[in-house]
Amino acid sequence: MAQVKVLVLAGFGTNCERETAYACRAVGADRVDIVHQAELIHGDRRLDDFNFLCLPGGFLDGDNLGAAQAAAHRFRHARVKTTGEPLMEQLLAFIKKGGLILGICNGFQLMVKLGLLPGFDGLYTQRLVSLTYNDSGRFEDRWVWLKVNPQSPCIFTRGLERLYLPVRHGEGKFVTLDEKVLERLKEENLHTLQYADPQTGEPTQTYPLNPNGSMAAIAGLCDPTGRLFGLMPHPEAFNHRTNHPAWTRESLPEEGLGLSLFRNAVEYLRQRDV
Ligand SMILES: NC(=O)CC[C@H](N)C(=O)O
């Protein structure tokens, strides 16, 4: 059985790294390190020592210039101090070797602004989509119903049909300027997660069920390999029944459904020597 080694990337404004690390440990990851971005840039730590990269939520660089914009610039142009190698090369090698990447909220914003998603044709540096200001013009903080696309190649959502998770963001609206990109996402089933109406179970544009006005109600995307996944909802924030808004009124399973995404990742890596 292969070891599951998780790097949870912290620093410069992230604020969900502890819960994200907790979720990985709760489902049995063998090693979970919270690593500051500066450690990667200085070369003290390396991505190739791990096989699962988590990009947690928060306010990278205070969302100045737009959420995760400065962080994407840093990742794209930084060179590792000790080796001189571009940090982006380390990230692309991590993907090439078969690593998993989970981007949650600010982490998802970083993935799309780096071009890691949607990753058409194995190209991970072309920026084709974005996440922008909510239609409400406000920071949205609520629990939402989500429909999982059963045809999606996404490793993280295997076996799941619908989710109820919290969102907390100001720039969660999924957009693309090219209708052909949206068509291709649908053709390849890369639109893994959609905001849904709990009555019908179907994707919705109705506020606040769709809290930000995302095109095609998209709440999460994966790449064609299914190993890269980004979502605006916070699965790490539903790890126990007491996280659920109705936990004092409803009988709920002990484990929060959010952990299922992390368990799918660990089980996938256990079967592969990455
Ligand atoms: N919870 C988060 O990660 C927030 C993401 C980003 N800071 C936003 O407000 O959209």
Side-chain angles (χ1 to χ4, degrees):
M1 296 276 264
Q3 289 269 304
V4 181
K5 300 164 285 185
V6 188
L7 185 156
V8 179
L9 192 62
F12 302 124
T14 59
N15 62 17
C16 299
E17 55 269 20
R18 288 176 182 273
E19 304 95 310
T20 303
Y22 172 83
C24 294
R25 293 186 183 111
V27 297
D30 302 283
R31 175 183 171 190
V32 183
D33 292 8
I34 296 177
V35 175
H36 194 291
Q37 289 182 39
E39 293 179 270
L40 277 188
I41 293 170
H42 280 263
D44 305 335
R45 310 298 295 274
R46 291 184 62 82
L47 281 177
D48 40 32
D49 293 330
F50 299 87
N51 51 19
F52 182 3
L53 171 63
C54 285
L55 303 172
F59 293 78
L60 283 165
D61 306 277
D63 284 357
N64 297 331
L65 307 178
Q69 185 69 18
H73 188 80
R74 181 183 299 120
F75 241 93
R76 192 171 292 120
H77 299 289
R79 286 183 175 272
V80 179
K81 290 281 181 295
T82 49
T83 62
E85 76 189 297
L87 187 55
M88 202 61 195
E89 270 182 23
Q90 215 178 109
L91 185 57
L92 295 174
F94 178 86
I95 295 169
K96 192 166 183 329
K97 81 166 187 178
L100 296 187
I101 304 182
L102 175 63
I104 301 168
C105 201
N106 214 204
F108 182 23
Q109 291 160 336
L110 177 57
M111 291 178 84
V112 299
K113 294 188 181 183
L114 268 176
L116 296 183
L117 288 174
F120 290 148
D121 308 316
L123 298 175
Y124 292 104
T125 55
Q126 50 175 353
R127 184 167 163 177
L128 297 173
V129 302
S130 194
L131 290 152
T132 189
Y133 295 96
N134 303 332
D135 280 351
S136 65
R138 288 197 304 267
F139 187 89
E140 297 287 338
D141 187 333
R142 61 181 79 251
W143 284 61
V144 292
W145 289 96
L146 298 152
K147 178 182 191 293
V148 177
N149 177 349
Q151 275 77 47
S152 174
C154 182
I155 303 295
F156 297 85
T157 55
R158 282 177 173 174
L160 301 174
E161 292 177 1
R162 62 189 250 161
L163 290 165
Y164 186 56
L165 294 174
V167 294
R168 4 166 148 134
H169 55 254
E171 300 176 48
K173 180 177 183 178
F174 174 82
V175 291
T176 180
L177 295 176
D178 184 345
E179 276 299 324
K180 291 189 181 61
V181 168
L182 195 56
E183 284 161 24
R184 187 163 175 189
L185 289 174
K186 292 177 180 175
E187 280 162 19
E188 299 189 24
N189 287 294
L190 304 185
H191 57 319
T192 304
L193 217 49
Q194 292 173 285
Y195 301 107
D197 180 326
Q199 306 307 322
T200 65
E202 290 309 309
T204 180
Q205 292 304 111
T206 306
Y207 178 82
L209 298 174
N210 177 329
N212 45 47
S214 287
M215 293 170 77
I218 288 174
L221 280 188
C222 75
D223 81 316
T225 72
R227 292 187 285 106
L228 275 62
F229 181 44
L231 71 167
M232 286 311 293
H234 286 257
E236 82 286 1
F238 186 17
N239 56 62
H240 188 266
R241 65 184 180 82
T242 55
N243 302 139
H244 191 287
W247 79 276
T248 58
R249 304 187 299 278
E250 290 178 21
S251 165
L252 297 164
E254 190 73 3
E255 182 177 288
L257 201 51
L259 288 189
S260 305
L261 284 81
F262 295 91
R263 179 171 288 106
N264 279 339
V266 167
E267 287 174 357
Y268 172 85
L269 287 169
R270 279 253 185 280
Q271 308 307 319
R272 286 160 183 79
D273 193 12
V274 173

